[in-house]
Amino acid sequence: MEGLAIRASRPSIICSLPGLDGGSQRLPLSDGFLRLPTSSYAADKPKLVAKSASLHPISAVNVSAQASLTANFPALSETNVKEERINGDKNKPENIVWHESSICRCDRQQLLQQKGCVIWITGLSGSGKSTVACALSKALFERGKLTYTLDGDNVRHGLNRDLTFKAEDRTENIRRIGEVAKLFADVGVICIASLISPYRRDRDECRSLLPEGDFVEVFMDVPLSVCESRDPKGLYKLARAGKIKGFTGIDDPYEAPLNCEVVLKHTGDDDSCSPRQMAEHIISYLQNKGYLEG
Amino acid sequence: MSTNIFWQESPIGKTERQKLLNQKGCVVWITGLSGSGKSTLACSLSRELYTRGKLSYILDGDNLRHGLNKDLGFKAEDRVENIRRVGEVAKLFADAGLICIASLISPYRKDRDACREMMQGSSFIEVYMNMSLQLCEARDPKGLYKLARAGKIKGFTGIDDPYESPLNCEIELKEKEGECPSPVAMAEEVIAYLEDKGFLQNQ
């Protein structure tokens, strides 16, 4: 049975800077965030102002999903709880089943002024995935956008600590990360997943978990020779010496995406492919697709 | 040579995210018998937080058992793994700055305590829905008690599997003079706790 939904027409957005929110009284909606105080966090880049809702108080709009509620149901409280009486005896607590309508994805998008999605950065070890993930999360933060990065560090030692590197565990590793990324996207977070994820089938499975458009695959198109010459973790050296088996790019394949949303191609020219520039390239894509607004 | 350049960027962390959201990430872990009102409270809490401009998300059986935990059944080790994974995801959400509301029976003290341990700090808030078995069974919102009494479900918590109540939870919600408090009243109690402990601001 549909519950009644009381949904704000538009959240009021008030900067969280001290002195600007008029104190700590409860507001109809959101003393939430808009954009950052730039002094502490921005680099020497020009400050970008996130698009903001105009600052007017919201009025809760009672959106009734059911015009046919009978007179037996009590008037709704303003927090949208409907008391359904079963067996007609309102004094018996066990006869009351509370129905709540929950906060949905679009409510959170309104609050955050962004749309959740998954930025899946794939490529060889040393191709720059973590570097771009970092630059991207920073650039989005400067625009007042909430991101979260899932990578080997926060996942292999936590959620996926029971998994090894054998083939079926690698698939399960990617699957679980895909499911968690999907949850983050549902929250409204721009979730950046930064993993080699060498098999096309596994990446495509993750893509299929999400609504069309919400999976943004970013391919770090960097030649093996460049990755190997960087070798930031010394793994290529170990792999070449035979001390690591099944290392992607050396004795295990990397299957490049066939139809990804963004390709970041290594050109050898530092001026045109700094991590910040690559991040901005992804941000342009997100902007064009409407992910940076509510 | 471009290959010799190591780019330095200081990463965005929990502190920055909390500042952006004007709240502190934490896990509100709601535990109790089937029918005790966990989901109802989770929903009400999430809505009350939203009206205060706070970002929360509910993790429960529905969004997990069909997704992340779809490979798990109901045998003992799978139940433990179910709770473990929920705990790990909740930890990630708290790190992201969210108020993560986990709503699961989670009947074994050891498993809940392991999740608390995982959080490493004071951001695990255990909420015990201390409603009598009699009340929960009378509600039986999913018809499961009836099936369990008829022997059609085995190992059902409260009937033929134990529920180990928390010994030191942060919040206990119970019937008052035979009346169950309204979901809004219970949500307000949780919110008062969160406010008091500073989770609803970033100072």
Side-chain angles (χ1 to χ4, degrees):
Chain A
M1 176 183 278
E2 294 267 18
L4 283 175
I6 297 184
R7 182 156 293 159
S9 54
R10 200 174 178 94
S12 67
I13 309 281
I14 297 170
C15 266
S16 61
L17 292 170
L20 289 180
D21 63 2
S24 55
Q25 307 104 300
R26 177 181 162 177
L27 298 158
L29 249 188
S30 178
D31 53 11
F33 46 94
L34 181 55
R35 76 176 178 89
L36 286 203
T38 53
S39 53
S40 314
Y41 301 96
D44 49 349
K45 302 283 285 177
K47 310 304 186 261
L48 289 154
V49 180
K51 281 189 187 164
S52 62
S54 55
L55 298 176
H56 58 270
I58 54 100
S59 53
V61 172
N62 189 338
V63 176
S64 172
Q66 271 203 4
S68 59
L69 288 175
T70 70
N72 286 333
F73 291 129
L76 280 181
S77 72
E78 62 182 17
T79 50
N80 179 45
V81 171
K82 184 178 71 178
E83 184 182 301
E84 180 181 331
R85 292 183 181 147
I86 303 170
N87 302 332
D89 186 344
K90 69 178 176 185
N91 292 316
K92 280 189 162 179
E94 62 268 26
N95 287 333
I96 296 172
V97 176
W98 300 93
H99 296 274
E100 293 266 0
S101 73
S102 51
I103 299 299
C104 67
R105 187 172 177 162
C106 55
D107 295 319
R108 291 187 291 267
Q109 285 174 178
Q110 278 262 43
L111 187 62
L112 290 168
Q113 284 296 293
Q114 64 187 58
K115 291 188 180 65
C117 59
V118 176
I119 316 287
W120 192 280
I121 309 178
T122 175
L124 293 169
S125 175
S127 56
K129 300 181 295 299
S130 298
T131 307
V132 168
C134 194
L136 178 61
S137 103
K138 189 158 190 180
L140 284 168
F141 176 75
E142 287 167 9
R143 286 166 170 77
K145 303 304 170 194
L146 182 67
T147 67
Y148 194 71
T149 303
L150 294 174
D151 61 25
D153 287 336
N154 60 12
V155 180
R156 274 268 180 198
H157 299 295
L159 175 67
N160 291 354
R161 67 171 189 250
D162 58 319
L163 301 177
T164 66
F165 285 94
K166 32 188 232 283
E168 56 267 35
D169 279 2
R170 290 195 202 204
T171 297
E172 177 64 3
N173 181 52
I174 301 293
R175 184 194 76 84
R176 288 188 200 170
I177 292 171
E179 290 284 3
V180 174
K182 176 184 177 178
L183 291 171
F184 271 108
D186 194 48
V187 180
V189 175
I190 296 168
C191 181
I192 306 165
S194 161
L195 307 115
I196 299 174
S197 47
Y199 302 119
R200 217 173 273 138
R201 187 186 67 176
D202 295 340
R203 298 190 306 261
D204 289 348
E205 285 276 348
C206 290
R207 181 186 283 278
S208 71
L209 294 173
L210 285 130
E212 183 78 36
D214 287 359
F215 186 86
V216 179
E217 192 173 18
V218 176
F219 173 38
M220 302 298 296
D221 188 0
V222 181
L224 174 64
S225 56
V226 174
C227 296
E228 192 165 356
S229 66
R230 290 172 181 170
D231 204 3
K233 301 176 189 175
L235 299 172
Y236 282 99
K237 190 171 177 183
L238 291 170
R240 290 287 186 198
K243 292 178 183 173
I244 309 177
K245 300 287 179 218
F247 188 72
T248 304
I250 303 297
D251 58 349
D252 209 68
Y254 177 80
E255 297 170 354
L258 300 172
N259 271 315
C260 59
E261 283 70 20
V262 178
V263 178
L264 297 173
K265 197 171 173 67
H266 174 79
T267 61
D269 177 354
D270 294 333
D271 290 341
S272 65
C273 69
S274 71
R276 176 58 80 136
Q277 275 152 338
M278 290 192 277
E280 292 293 340
H281 192 68
I282 298 170
I283 287 175
S284 299
Y285 177 89
L286 293 175
Q287 204 136 37
N288 289 343
K289 298 291 181 185
Y291 284 94
L292 302 189
E293 54 200 45
Chain B
M1 283 270 294
S2 62
T3 50
N4 289 333
I5 295 170
F6 289 90
W7 302 93
Q8 301 293 331
E9 289 263 12
S10 60
I12 299 301
K14 188 173 181 178
T15 307
E16 289 78 17
R17 289 186 289 266
Q18 289 182 156
K19 184 131 191 168
L20 187 62
L21 292 169
N22 196 29
Q23 63 187 52
K24 290 197 181 62
C26 61
V27 177
V28 178
W29 190 281
I30 308 175
T31 176
L33 293 171
S34 174
S36 56
K38 300 182 295 299
S39 298
T40 306
L41 171 61
C43 210
S44 186
L45 178 59
S46 159
R47 178 157 280 281
E48 291 299 315
L49 284 167
Y50 179 75
T51 64
R52 287 164 172 78
K54 303 304 166 191
L55 184 67
S56 67
Y57 192 72
I58 301 172
L59 291 179
D60 62 22
D62 287 335
N63 59 17
L64 289 159
R65 279 261 180 201
H66 300 295
L68 175 67
N69 292 351
K70 71 178 187 233
D71 58 320
L72 301 176
F74 286 91
K75 42 188 220 284
E77 55 268 36
D78 279 2
R79 291 194 203 207
V80 172
E81 176 64 2
N82 181 51
I83 301 292
R84 183 193 77 82
R85 288 189 200 170
V86 174
E88 289 287 3
V89 175
K91 181 179 177 181
L92 293 172
F93 275 28
D95 189 48
L98 307 173
I99 296 166
C100 177
I101 305 164
S103 162
L104 304 111
I105 299 175
S106 48
Y108 303 119
R109 214 173 275 140
K110 187 181 77 165
D111 298 336
R112 296 191 307 260
D113 289 349
C115 288
R116 181 189 284 279
E117 185 71 30
M118 229 189 259
M119 303 296 154
Q120 294 163 353
S122 49
S123 43
F124 184 84
I125 296 132
E126 192 172 19
V127 178
Y128 172 33
M129 301 296 287
N130 186 8
M131 304 300 161
S132 62
L133 175 63
Q134 184 193 15
L135 172 63
C136 298
E137 190 165 358
R139 287 173 174 168
D140 204 4
K142 300 177 189 175
L144 299 173
Y145 283 99
K146 190 171 174 180
L147 291 170
R149 289 287 185 197
K152 291 178 182 171
I153 308 177
K154 300 285 181 221
F156 188 71
T157 305
I159 303 297
D160 58 347
D161 209 69
Y163 178 80
E164 297 171 353
S165 55
L167 300 172
N168 273 310
C169 57
E170 281 69 19
I171 300 171
E172 183 178 341
L173 297 167
K174 52 211 284 199
E175 296 160 74
K176 291 180 171 98
E177 287 152 6
E179 287 268 316
C180 183
S182 72
V184 171
M186 292 193 287
E188 292 286 342
E189 195 171 329
V190 177
I191 285 178
Y193 179 92
L194 292 174
E195 210 142 39
D196 191 55
K197 299 292 178 186
F199 286 103
L200 303 190
Q201 58 192 33
N202 181 49
Q203 258 85 51

